[in-house]
Amino acid sequence: MNTLKAGDTAPDFTLLNQKEQPVSLSETLKTHKALVYFYPKALTPGCTTQACSLRDTKQELEDLNTVVLGLSPDAPEKLEKFTQKHELNFDLLSDLDHKVADAFGVWGLKKFMGKEYDGIHRISFLVNQDGKIAHVFDKFKTKDHHDVVLDYLKNNG
């Protein structure tokens, strides 16, 4: 796994959101910075905690010119269930074949309860409007992710 770093150019992508509409990073960056956050699986406890915290701070993030794009290997239908169940207010994108996760370097070997498997590592990238990665968030707990992001944005523009 070769995770992208601050200063790297973020790979552009276009993926279907929970409404099966295409969303592209390059279009998003025309008007805002993007918090591209990768999470393993919709409707699971940790991913729900993380998503709901981002939902609750959406206005603060937008006030800091940042929109949220959540990516997982879930199908759009599952993402729509996740959105409806938890009243999420941002785009969740379907990276079914994990090509975007591969491009960002967040798809790789994981261990859980003694088993090894390939999957998404919970890492987020703040992408500036010029397409460059401003910061990589890889040290946080799901319940604190939004605070870590907001603190960074408030202190670093």
Side-chain angles (χ1 to χ4, degrees):
M1 203 170 82
N2 193 13
T3 306
L4 296 179
K5 295 172 181 45
D8 290 344
T9 298
D12 192 23
F13 58 81
T14 301
L15 295 170
L16 294 180
N17 70 5
Q18 66 271 24
K19 303 260 187 229
E20 297 194 42
Q21 299 167 329
V23 174
S24 73
L25 179 60
S26 57
E27 284 299 310
T28 302
L29 295 178
K30 287 180 180 179
T31 56
H32 295 86
K33 297 176 200 175
L35 177 67
V36 179
Y37 91 95
F38 291 89
Y39 64 97
K41 194 172 181 179
L43 298 165
T44 57
C47 296
T48 298
T49 297
Q50 186 177 19
C52 289
S53 296
L54 289 168
R55 173 199 67 202
D56 295 344
T57 55
K58 181 181 186 226
Q59 189 58 58
E60 280 182 87
L61 290 163
E62 284 183 354
D63 290 347
L64 294 164
N65 195 38
T66 304
V67 297
V68 175
L69 300 174
L71 281 73
S72 74
D74 296 304
E77 305 80 44
K78 186 169 185 184
L79 298 177
E80 178 62 10
K81 286 179 188 166
F82 192 29
T83 299
Q84 292 298 321
K85 182 172 183 179
H86 297 289
E87 299 177 6
L88 301 179
N89 53 10
F90 53 87
D91 281 316
L92 297 178
L93 306 179
S94 175
D95 188 19
L96 278 172
D97 57 9
H98 59 81
K99 283 186 179 170
V100 177
D102 279 331
F104 275 80
V106 300
W107 184 266
L109 191 63
K110 296 179 74 170
K111 291 182 182 180
F112 182 69
M113 296 179 68
K115 293 188 178 185
E116 291 186 353
Y117 61 96
D118 283 330
I120 283 188
H121 289 253
R122 194 183 301 274
I123 299 174
S124 300
F125 300 84
L126 180 64
V127 183
N128 281 331
Q129 286 185 255
D130 64 1
K132 300 279 188 203
I133 296 171
H135 193 74
V136 179
F137 302 95
D138 58 358
K139 292 180 176 39
F140 59 85
K141 298 199 181 321
T142 55
K143 66 182 167 79
D144 299 330
H145 178 243
H146 64 293
D147 287 329
V148 171
V149 172
L150 284 170
D151 286 347
Y152 179 84
L153 286 167
K154 288 174 184 173
N155 294 312
N156 299 284

